Amino acid sequence: MNQNLARQIEILPLNLSHHLKITVIALAIGVIVGLPLSILIARRPRLRYPVLTMIGVIQTIPSLALLALMVPMLAMLSDLTERTVGTGFSFFGFYPTVLALSLYSLLPIVRNAVTGILGVEPTLIEAAKGIGMTPRQTLLRVELPLAAPVIVAGLRTATVWVVGTATLATPIGQRSLGNYIFSGLQTRNRVAVLFGCVAAAALAVILDVLIGALQKATAERRRGIAIASLLALALVFGGGLVAPNLLAHWRGVNRSDQIGIGAKTFTEQYILASLFEQVLEDSSIPARRNESLGSSVGLDALARSEIDVFVDYSGTIWANAMKRLGSADRETVLNDVSEWLASELGIGTLGPLGFENAYAIAMRRDQAETLGISTIADLARHASSLKIGGDYEFFERPEWFAIQRLYRLDFEREVTYDSTFMYEAAYRGEVDVISAFTTDGRIDTFDLVLLDDPLGAIPPYDALLLLSPEASERDDIINALSPLINAINDDLMRSANSLVDRDEDKKTPYAAAAELRRMMKQNMTP
């Protein structure tokens, strides 16, 4: 079997079990909250419009944004409980995911339930009252049974929505089938992306068929099908609740003993996370990877010891977290960043890994030679007739504002890409200039040239090995990881990245990390 496909199958139980767990719990909360709310607003017309409008507004928030918004909201709540009752809780991963998915499930559940209850023939309700039924009896014995097919249809819609939306939980630290998609997109691993999409679709179809059978049974009053559907759903949902714990028990994993290694959403970070995992396990320190984290989520998680090891870049912390404008020399940035991390967040800096992955302006070599461009200053003369592409955050970063201000750049058009597609877009002439990362292997693959920055608009971006407050006090972790300090130069990191990013004879990030270790040893051999 293909090695890449075998790897996707190997991690399927772990990804699927977590995906099913958050789906089940979110739907359960949606039903527990949504059904009583539906009964209330069906009885109180004055509440109906404002409640349905509010739920509808939640639905208009993009799902990824809703998931991201839950993190700072729960962070404030965690701080409040820590101050008032002396204990906080994790606001990454599971809790924000379940909360966001529960909110997302409310609209179809509530709207269908209200429609179903209000759609019951008034003569039947009057008849129930006529034979002496109380309002409670009328609700339970007449209205809800008659509205059941419509209510179940709402649950069916909510289930498909939640299964799909749960794939977006990966950047906030929740493992799901989205791990395939996010990591596959960043590493150009089409097998992983396809595998994640197919697995999520298959799960949605299975649940849709089971709930569809229940809907049919309630509409046709077929008790046997209803019981069989409920048993099947109970088996799937119950299995989903306990699957991650059963899987961990079967694998002999005690999560509390493991060192959490965080990684952002691009190839280099996946390779480094695998490298740290291999190095720690060589020292008999169990580790787990928590990959595809958003940039700010990763740093916040490290500060709260939700993860223990993380790589961030000095320029990112300098510009984004410290809000420093302009640049400074490499040593100054390193010292200031290390002091700020320790004093403000309690994060320890073990040291620089030895390479710099800075933002840079890149363009096709042939075009640069034709136009006589080798620096950003040269680019300024031609910018008005050129298109520039950047990753999601580049055009809002301080570096971009500094580049524009110092070089007076004014491009014909700005286009935003996922970094996976940005390099190929430049290669194919979709854009003329891109915001590249200096250690990305695709710079060589697509024969792009990096433009010099003579005015120093872009700060240095040394890769820093950071430790959580708890990990900073563990000598075994420090001793295991210290040999990596200043051991990886730019060429080694770019070579490792290209092993994953290339189209032919691709390596997995884990295999590339093993190859990087071999190259490091070879590089250190006299």
Side-chain angles (χ1 to χ4, degrees):
M1 181 184 292
N2 177 281
Q3 187 182 4
N4 190 8
L5 181 59
R7 169 63 182 164
Q8 311 315 321
I9 294 172
E10 180 188 344
I11 58 177
L12 177 63
L14 190 60
N15 288 345
L16 179 61
S17 62
H18 283 278
H19 195 103
L20 196 52
K21 181 178 180 179
I22 55 178
T23 299
V24 169
I25 294 176
L27 284 172
I29 294 173
V31 170
I32 291 169
V33 173
L35 202 51
L37 184 63
S38 306
I39 295 168
L40 175 67
I41 63 177
R43 293 280 187 270
R44 306 279 178 86
R46 288 184 179 178
L47 292 176
R48 199 175 304 150
Y49 180 75
V51 170
L52 287 176
T53 300
M54 187 173 67
I55 295 173
V57 168
I58 292 172
Q59 204 70 34
T60 64
I61 301 173
S63 44
L64 186 57
L66 184 63
L67 284 157
L69 283 172
M70 290 300 111
V71 174
M73 286 176 58
L74 289 184
M76 288 189 286
L77 189 59
S78 175
D79 289 340
L80 180 65
T81 58
E82 198 157 5
R83 286 197 300 272
T84 52
V85 299
T87 180
F89 55 86
S90 171
F91 49 82
F92 301 100
F94 179 76
Y95 292 115
T97 300
V98 167
L99 183 55
L101 294 181
S102 301
L103 290 173
Y104 237 64
S105 71
L106 277 180
L107 183 64
I109 291 174
V110 172
R111 192 176 285 278
N112 275 49
V114 171
T115 301
I117 293 170
L118 294 179
V120 175
E121 283 289 335
T123 53
L124 294 175
I125 298 175
E126 289 302 318
K129 291 177 181 174
I131 62 174
M133 282 189 179
T134 64
R136 186 169 179 272
Q137 288 173 324
T138 303
L139 175 69
L140 296 177
R141 296 183 183 181
V142 178
E143 292 175 279
L144 287 182
L146 291 174
V150 183
I151 295 173
V152 175
L155 177 62
R156 193 175 173 183
T157 304
T159 301
V160 175
W161 284 8
V162 168
V163 168
T165 307
T167 58
L168 300 175
T170 301
I172 61 171
Q174 173 59 49
R175 180 174 278 276
S176 71
L177 293 172
N179 279 48
Y180 285 121
I181 299 169
F182 279 90
S183 63
L185 278 175
Q186 296 302 320
T187 59
R188 297 170 65 85
N189 187 340
R190 296 182 180 87
V191 173
V193 174
L194 187 62
F195 202 91
C197 292
V198 170
L203 178 61
V205 169
I206 290 170
L207 292 176
D208 184 62
V209 168
L210 291 176
I211 298 175
L214 181 62
Q215 183 187 0
K216 183 178 180 182
T218 55
E220 298 176 1
R221 302 290 190 269
R222 299 177 68 174
R223 182 178 297 230
I225 296 178
I227 292 173
S229 303
L230 285 171
L231 285 175
L233 285 168
L235 189 63
V236 173
F237 284 175
L241 283 176
V242 301
N245 293 336
L246 283 178
L247 194 61
H249 180 74
W250 177 69
R251 296 169 65 203
V253 173
N254 185 347
R255 191 177 173 84
S256 62
D257 292 339
Q258 293 179 312
I259 297 301
I261 304 169
K264 298 188 196 184
T265 57
F266 51 93
T267 300
E268 182 170 289
Q269 290 270 324
Y270 298 133
I271 295 172
L272 292 174
S274 297
L275 173 68
F276 301 150
E277 182 184 19
Q278 293 172 18
V279 169
L280 288 169
E281 292 189 342
D282 281 354
S283 299
S284 301
I285 302 173
R288 60 181 161 81
R289 283 175 281 158
N290 199 342
E291 298 172 331
S292 301
L293 299 175
S295 185
S296 61
V297 168
L299 200 62
D300 288 344
L302 187 71
R304 289 182 166 265
S305 295
E306 301 279 346
I307 56 176
D308 301 288
V309 181
F310 188 59
V311 169
D312 211 336
Y313 304 88
S314 56
T316 300
I317 300 168
W318 174 271
N320 285 5
M322 299 170 67
K323 307 294 183 190
R324 294 285 181 88
L325 300 175
S327 185
D329 64 82
R330 199 169 184 174
E331 198 67 28
T332 301
V333 172
L334 272 176
N335 290 336
D336 287 4
V337 164
S338 298
E339 289 175 10
W340 185 85
L341 286 171
S343 61
E344 296 294 325
L345 302 176
I347 292 174
T349 304
L350 195 56
L353 289 170
F355 68 90
E356 188 185 5
N357 186 5
Y359 266 111
I361 300 297
M363 61 189 304
R364 292 192 310 280
R365 186 179 301 279
D366 60 343
Q367 188 181 23
E369 290 174 354
T370 300
L371 296 175
I373 297 174
S374 61
T375 69
I376 304 177
D378 297 334
L379 181 63
R381 295 197 299 272
H382 303 276
S384 60
S385 61
L386 301 177
K387 297 187 287 290
I388 182 172
D391 62 77
Y392 296 132
E393 58 183 281
F394 179 70
F395 295 121
E396 297 300 323
R397 291 181 66 93
E399 297 92 330
W400 173 236
F401 298 131
I403 290 171
Q404 283 184 306
R405 186 179 68 254
L406 292 175
Y407 293 102
R408 299 182 182 278
L409 291 180
D410 184 16
F411 285 93
E412 177 190 339
R413 188 153 61 97
E414 296 174 2
V415 186
T416 301
Y417 291 95
D418 185 283
S419 59
T420 307
F421 306 114
M422 187 171 64
Y423 298 87
E424 191 165 353
Y427 172 70
R428 295 185 180 282
E430 298 288 333
V431 290
D432 305 291
V433 180
I434 60 169
S435 60
F437 300 103
T438 55
T439 55
D440 199 300
R442 287 166 288 201
I443 291 171
D444 293 337
T445 302
F446 293 120
D447 195 25
L448 304 178
V449 60
L450 301 178
L451 304 184
D452 289 337
D453 173 22
L455 299 182
I458 303 172
Y461 272 80
D462 283 285
L464 300 177
L465 181 45
L466 306 178
L467 300 177
S468 68
E470 291 181 6
S472 298
E473 297 178 357
R474 286 186 53 172
D475 291 338
D476 57 342
I477 296 175
I478 292 172
N479 292 336
L481 295 177
S482 289
L484 297 175
I485 301 305
N486 288 316
I488 309 172
N489 61 36
D490 290 8
D491 290 337
L492 287 181
M493 195 67 246
R494 194 178 295 116
S495 297
N497 287 336
S498 68
L499 293 175
V500 178
D501 290 335
R502 65 193 183 192
D503 288 328
E504 295 181 1
D505 192 26
K506 286 173 69 69
K507 303 289 185 188
T508 65
Y510 195 86
E515 179 62 17
L516 177 60
R517 293 185 75 185
R518 189 194 66 75
M519 291 189 289
M520 288 163 57
K521 288 176 183 172
Q522 193 176 40
N523 202 41
M524 287 185 288
T525 303

